[in-house]
Amino acid sequence: MRSVLILMGSDSDWPTMEKCTAVLDEFDVDYDVHVCSAHRTPDIAGRLARNARKNGFGVIICAAGLAAHLAGNIAAHTILPVIGVPMAAGPLAGQDALLATVQMPPGVPVATVGIGGAKNAGLLALQILAVSNDKLATKLLEFKKSMSAKVKKADSQLRRKWRSGRSGS
Ligand code: RP5
């Protein structure tokens, strides 16, 4: 199976992006991680993007804050699917990064998750890889079932508490 390339504009993005690697670890999917910036190290970013497909990656996840051009810049250099994660950095708390990441011109798509959406970026990468991997698809279906079971349990627990609170008043 192809693996996931995770790029982030700064090491300050890592505490958020650890939530992405945690998901990939949970599903036993291989990945690599780099700090590289569209602005500060444009040559390295371009090289990583251009070589990603031949290096065995199937999806690229790019996290960046402020005037976040990393995901778009990487997408310009590859035909691999690129997932953008706007980081909640700076005075605009990620609103700037969200717009910069999501508003790509026609021809160069970036699948953008919410501000700080590292976990969803990981899950979306897994879902992309699962299109051609039945074992991973089965694991994702199990994950969906366990999420649903958790919500049902929370519902019955909360309703029990709420009912006993009402009968006591
Ligand atoms: C972006 O600027 C990075 O992705 C980070 O979110 C933000 C701040 O970077 P640092 O100044 O912390 O390196 O390029």
Side-chain angles (χ1 to χ4, degrees), residues 36-89:
C36 75
S37 163
H39 306 122
R40 294 164 176 162
T41 60
D43 294 343
I44 295 172
R47 198 177 329 122
L48 282 166
R50 283 189 297 274
N51 293 334
R53 198 157 166 264
K54 76 164 184 262
N55 286 340
F57 296 104
V59 192
I60 306 178
I61 296 174
C62 299
L66 305 176
H69 294 121
L70 184 60
N73 186 261
I74 294 295
H77 289 283
T78 181
I79 58 159
L80 289 177
V82 174
I83 300 170
V85 190
M87 290 286 111

Side-chain angles (χ1 to χ4, degrees), residues 6-17 33-41 62-66 70 87 89:
I6 301 171
L7 306 176
M8 61 202 90
S10 167
D11 57 351
S12 65
D13 299 322
W14 176 238
T16 300
M17 290 311 290
V33 179
H34 282 278
V35 172
C36 75
S37 163
H39 306 122
R40 294 164 176 162
T41 60
C62 299
L66 305 176
L70 184 60
M87 290 286 111

Side-chain angles (χ1 to χ4, degrees), residues 139-167:
K139 281 189 187 174
L140 282 163
L141 287 167
E142 286 304 316
F143 169 76
K144 289 253 186 226
K145 272 193 214 154
S146 79
M147 262 199 311
S148 163
K150 271 187 208 154
V151 173
K152 285 178 196 158
K153 191 175 165 199
D155 175 58
S156 60
Q157 282 175 345
L158 186 131
R159 287 180 60 78
R160 206 175 310 126
K161 215 165 130 187
W162 169 63
R163 279 205 200 99
S164 69
R166 277 209 313 183
S167 63

Side-chain angles (χ1 to χ4, degrees), residues 84-108:
V85 190
M87 290 286 111
L92 301 184
Q95 303 280 337
D96 43 1
L98 172 63
L99 294 177
T101 305
V102 78
Q103 290 289 21
M104 288 298 293
V108 190

